[in-house]
Amino acid sequence: MAAKNQKRTVTLIGAPTDIGAAQRGSSMSPDALRVAEIDLTLRRLGLEVIDSGNLAGPPNPRAKAQDGYRHLAEATAWCRSLESAVTEALHGGTVPVVMGGDHCLAIGSIAAIARFCAEERRPLSILWFDAHADFNTPATSPSGNLHGMPVAILCGDGPPELTALGAGPPIIDAGQVIQIGIRSVDHVEKLAVSESGLTVYDMRTIDEHGMFAVMEEALAKVSARGGHLHVSFDVDFLDPAIAPGVGTTVFGGPTYRESQLAMEMIYDSGLLASLDIMELNPALDLHNQTAELVFELVASLFGEQILSRHTTSFN
Ligand code: MG
Ligand code: MG
């Protein structure tokens, strides 16, 4: 079980801000995950763990959108700070685990990872677990909340302050992104997604083919490309019946076992090199239930298994 983790070091990076979200509270997520003892579990799985603490950044001014974006200057400051921290973790030879915060922070973490991969001449693939495509622009998002826009911005459609992070624009190509669990796409956003070049396994696909087949195909694409796998995990990917602690719940998401299976298969692939955990909102959670679930999923991503050895011919 520990073989894939031997000599691997994880750097935990807290990014406590809800600057890009409609709902306040995801800023408390890093500490909720620490309360769930994420560090001890990762150590038990054979990893070295460095907790680099929480980043600092501007407070949430709770202002209205200006020129199509809410809190652009503040979000840019947070993303720049996170980009530096993730770059440092990667140059140190460790696996960055970003504990957000809202999902606009993925612009900062993926900017760092994309630049690092370009320098190392390693292909980068991103598995984006989410209920939402996060492919909005000001033209499709009246609210201007940046947590609905990170994939569009990463692919070069957004404000220059953010699209130029890392080695952008664009920071990445849409063909590098595989989305899983999508079930809420705004009307105009649908057209943009279908023309984007993103690979999308929506909930209908998961319903029809099952999580195993979907993950098998997704991981085969990543494996064929080789290189670095980044997982950007928006907690609202999970069905709200098991994960109520998020700001934008959408019914009809994956079950507990479907989610666990996806994480277990990523661990088995041996490809995971960096992780975002985004949108967990302790203010909306019930007795830290969602944080505990996220922590169990992270444990599976890093090698927790039901049994430590195979006992039947199916394994
Ligand atoms: Mg989402
Ligand atoms: Mg998201």
Side-chain angles (χ1 to χ4, degrees), residues 92-219:
T94 71
V95 178
V97 173
V98 176
M99 303 184 294
D102 74 78
H103 216 170
C104 83
L105 292 160
I107 302 164
S109 62
I110 293 175
I113 292 157
R115 178 164 16 207
F116 177 79
C117 288
E119 288 167 359
E120 300 276 311
R121 298 184 186 281
R122 297 179 69 196
L124 166 63
S125 299
I126 297 158
L127 290 185
W128 189 278
F129 290 90
D130 208 319
H132 310 90
D134 288 353
F135 207 71
N136 272 304
T137 64
T140 61
S141 167
S143 71
N145 290 318
L146 283 159
H147 76 157
M149 307 182 185
V151 180
I153 291 171
L154 285 162
C155 295
D157 192 353
E161 293 92 327
L162 290 172
T163 56
L165 292 181
I171 298 167
I172 55 167
D173 184 85
Q176 294 173 270
V177 181
I178 299 173
Q179 297 194 319
I180 298 171
I182 308 301
R183 57 195 182 275
S184 175
V185 186
D186 297 332
H187 192 63
V188 188
E189 189 188 11
K190 280 182 190 173
L191 186 61
V193 167
S194 41
E195 291 176 346
S196 64
L198 299 170
T199 300
V200 183
Y201 295 97
D202 63 9
M203 280 312 300
R204 165 118 190 223
T205 310
I206 295 171
D207 289 343
E208 288 187 1
H209 299 278
M211 185 61 88
F212 181 79
V214 162
M215 287 304 300
E216 202 169 45
E217 184 173 295
L219 288 167

Side-chain angles (χ1 to χ4, degrees), residues 103 130-132 134 234 236-237 248 279:
H103 216 170
D130 208 319
H132 310 90
D134 288 353
D234 182 327
D236 69 31
F237 159 77
T248 44
E279 298 285 347

Side-chain angles (χ1 to χ4, degrees), residues 25-85:
S26 57
S27 52
M28 296 186 280
S29 166
D31 289 333
L33 290 167
R34 290 189 180 98
V35 167
E37 299 189 325
I38 190 170
D39 56 337
L40 294 182
T41 297
L42 293 175
R43 286 193 181 102
R44 184 170 53 75
L45 292 167
L47 293 139
E48 299 281 323
V49 180
I50 300 165
D51 188 344
S52 65
N54 286 345
L55 299 172
N60 189 329
R62 289 183 277 178
K64 287 194 163 56
Q66 284 188 325
D67 301 322
Y69 302 103
R70 270 186 91 213
H71 308 151
L72 177 57
E74 292 84 0
T76 303
W78 276 102
C79 285
R80 283 189 177 282
S81 173
L82 182 56
E83 182 186 357
S84 299

